[in-house]
């Protein structure tokens, strides 16, 4: 009969204890902060606890998957994601608040773009692995097409925040695969030159959000409301904060979306600059651990995947904190691992499961 010690060893065999402790810290912060942000709603806290349990379970399953299994999943996941994105554009797509992002599959309503957060970098890393020995310019072009098609479909829904995050995850794969600096600089200049055309492609509300970045007081009670209230909450926290459960912006209902996209403003108001530094330290620790796993990855595929997951996590964090602090437009990106929501939590933890699989299976694959 298997004893408890052996069972624990089997359970932890493919988990990274350092990363696991940090992720546990995020889960604790999420539950504690949600209690305050939701005005003491145990229902919201217990719901998030359920999301965390499911996400950690999914992470454990992925962490125990051998790396060649992950490679085999790349093409099926990408193809499935593309089919689901196309189905969203049919009458099966579910529209809410002016956006058609969901798909009703009978038992539940799913958001296919969340699947693509993992499927796109996985597919691109698989593609570059297959052509590692003979990489040419056309390979980068084909990989760019693999990235731009789903990004365009998601932007059309419209879902600018998710399309930016998926675009960033794919760009990181291209960058880590050795895309020439001259091509990247040329592409950036071309994008800048086409800015007027891209501006005309944006929806009215998206243009308003960008304009509010420069002067949110133009429409303080409308389009600029989120930015202004977020800036007030962050600034009013001062050095030490107002104290747990004592945030006035939060508990007097001035702060919108305070359990989801603007939860960082709740943290800033109640724990101040010191709390922000501690939270930033936790994020930097996880990102640093991700870079260590990337540097020690044993194959081209795993280096690309680990680097993309780590840099995308950084992008999540930067975009959310930037948008809440008023230095970036409001694009609907949650604070990773802390904001309320099951889908985002699950997607992020799947990414960390891949990181742990890369770290713990590295001795089993060729170097």
């Amino acid at each position: 009969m298997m004893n408890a010690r052996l069972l624990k060893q089997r359970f932890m065999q493919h988990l990274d204890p350092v990363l696991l402790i940090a992720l546990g810290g995020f889960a604790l912060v999420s539950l504690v902060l949600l209690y305050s942000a939701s005005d003491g709603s145990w229902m919201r806290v217990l719901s998030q606890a359920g999301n965390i349990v499911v996400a950690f379970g999914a992470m454990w399953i992925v962490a125990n998957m051998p790396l060649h299994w992950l490679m085999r999943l790349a093409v099926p996941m990408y193809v499935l994601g593309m089919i689901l994105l196309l189905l969203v554009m049919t009458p099966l797509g579910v529209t809410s608040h002016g956006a058609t992002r969901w798909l009703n599959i009978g038992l539940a309503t799913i958001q296919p773009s969340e699947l693509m957060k993992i499927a796109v970098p996985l597919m691109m890393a698989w593609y570059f692995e297959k052509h590692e020995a003979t990489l040419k310019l056309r390979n980068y072009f084909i990989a760019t097409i693999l990235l731009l098609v789903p990004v365009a479909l998601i932007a059309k829904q419209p879902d600018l925040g998710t399309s930016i995050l998926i675009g960033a995850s794919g760009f990181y794969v291209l960058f880590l695969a050795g895309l020439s600096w001259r091509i990247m600089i040329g592409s950036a200049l071309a994008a800048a030159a086409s800015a007027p055309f891209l501006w005309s492609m944006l929806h009215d509300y998206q243009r308003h959000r960008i304009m509010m970045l420069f002067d949110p007081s133009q429409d303080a009670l409308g389009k600029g409301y989120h930015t202004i209230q977020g800036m007030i909450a962050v600034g009013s926290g001062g050095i030490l904060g107002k104290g747990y459960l004592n945030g006035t912006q939060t508990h007097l209902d001035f702060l919108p979306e305070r359990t989801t996209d603007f939860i960082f403003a709740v943290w800033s108001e109640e724990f101040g600059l010191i709390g922000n530094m501690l939270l930033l330290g936790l994020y930097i620790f996880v990102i640093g651990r991700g870079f260590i796993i990337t540097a020690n990855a044993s194959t081209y595929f795993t280096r690309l995947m680990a680097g993309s997951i780590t840099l995308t996590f950084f992008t999540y964090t930067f975009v959310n904190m930037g948008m809440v602090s008023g230095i970036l437009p409001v694009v609907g990106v949650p604070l990773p691992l802390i904001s309320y929501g099951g889908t985002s939590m699950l997607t992020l933890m799947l990414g960390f499961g891949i990181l742990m699989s890369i770290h713990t299976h590295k001795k089993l694959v060729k170097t």
Side-chain angles (χ1 to χ4, degrees):
M1 184 176 179
M2 188 180 295
N3 60 41
R5 184 177 178 184
L6 185 57
L7 189 63
K8 181 182 177 183
Q9 285 180 345
R10 291 276 180 88
F11 183 80
M12 295 292 294
Q13 185 178 6
H14 294 293
L15 298 180
D16 178 25
V18 177
L19 207 48
L20 190 62
I21 292 171
L23 296 177
F26 277 118
L28 181 62
V29 170
S30 176
L31 296 176
V32 170
L33 195 55
L34 268 177
Y35 181 77
S36 175
S38 61
D39 291 327
S41 169
W42 282 106
M43 185 70 76
R44 185 58 64 96
V45 174
L46 291 174
S47 176
Q48 181 72 345
N51 293 333
I52 291 171
V53 170
V54 171
F56 268 79
M59 181 198 72
W60 184 86
I61 292 172
V62 174
N64 279 273
M65 291 176 65
L67 294 173
H68 63 275
W69 285 23
L70 293 177
M71 288 191 67
R72 288 175 183 171
L73 284 174
V75 176
M77 277 185 67
Y78 183 84
V79 172
L80 175 64
M82 288 298 298
I83 292 173
L84 293 176
L85 283 179
L86 291 172
L87 286 175
V88 169
M89 302 172 70
T90 70
L92 294 175
V94 177
T95 302
S96 177
H97 296 90
T100 307
R101 304 172 182 172
W102 301 270
L103 195 62
N104 189 343
I105 58 172
L107 295 176
T109 300
I110 61 172
Q111 190 172 352
S113 57
E114 291 295 328
L115 174 66
M116 299 307 277
K117 288 179 179 176
I118 296 294
V120 168
L122 193 63
M123 178 68 187
M124 293 176 70
W126 172 87
Y127 177 78
F128 280 118
E129 167 78 15
K130 290 295 180 186
H131 298 86
E132 179 187 4
T134 57
L135 270 183
K136 295 179 181 177
L137 188 58
R138 71 166 183 272
N139 297 120
Y140 293 100
F141 177 76
I142 293 172
T144 303
I145 297 299
L146 290 172
L147 169 63
L148 290 182
V149 172
V151 166
L153 290 175
I154 294 167
K156 187 175 173 55
Q157 289 178 351
D159 189 350
L160 187 58
T162 302
S163 62
I164 289 174
L165 291 175
I166 293 176
S169 68
F171 170 77
Y172 294 140
V173 176
L174 289 169
F175 171 72
L176 295 168
L179 183 63
S180 165
W181 279 102
R182 285 184 299 178
I183 295 177
M184 285 192 285
I185 293 172
S187 300
L189 292 174
S194 61
F197 172 74
L198 295 175
W199 180 261
S200 68
M201 296 290 290
L202 294 175
H203 293 264
D204 288 341
Y205 81 92
Q206 292 170 334
R207 285 197 287 265
H208 286 143
R209 284 181 177 181
I210 294 174
M211 293 304 296
M212 288 302 107
L213 179 66
F214 300 104
D215 185 10
S217 63
Q218 289 178 17
D219 190 5
L221 297 178
K223 304 292 189 304
Y225 183 79
H226 287 62
T227 301
I228 290 174
Q229 296 304 322
M231 292 168 64
I232 291 173
V234 171
S236 65
I239 302 295
L240 298 175
K242 297 175 180 175
Y244 186 54
L245 300 174
N246 289 323
T248 52
Q249 289 295 112
T250 301
H251 298 288
L252 295 179
D253 288 336
F254 288 110
L255 194 60
E257 311 295 344
R258 57 183 182 271
T259 62
T260 53
D261 296 350
F262 278 72
I263 199 168
F264 178 63
V266 179
W267 175 271
S268 298
E269 185 181 24
E270 298 191 350
F271 298 98
L273 180 62
I274 300 298
N276 286 344
M277 297 300 289
L278 291 173
L279 190 61
L280 274 175
L282 189 56
Y283 278 112
I284 291 171
F285 179 81
V286 169
I287 292 168
R289 184 63 182 167
F291 281 134
I292 290 173
I293 292 174
T294 302
N296 292 314
S298 53
T299 68
Y300 193 53
F301 169 77
T302 54
R303 279 195 294 276
L304 296 181
M305 265 318 285
S308 176
I309 290 169
T310 304
L311 287 168
T312 303
F313 183 72
F314 160 77
T315 305
Y316 262 82
T317 309
F318 176 77
V319 170
N320 179 272
M321 291 185 176
M323 130 187 138
V324 173
S325 305
I327 63 172
L328 291 175
V330 176
V331 290
V333 173
L335 185 63
L337 301 177
I338 292 181
S339 289
Y340 176 78
T343 308
S344 172
M345 178 74 72
L346 179 62
T347 307
L348 287 164
M349 294 303 279
L350 287 175
F352 284 112
I354 293 175
L355 271 183
M356 291 188 185
S357 176
I358 290 170
H359 180 59
T360 59
H361 288 91
K362 63 184 178 183
K363 294 178 182 177
L364 304 179
V365 296
K366 65 179 182 180
T367 60

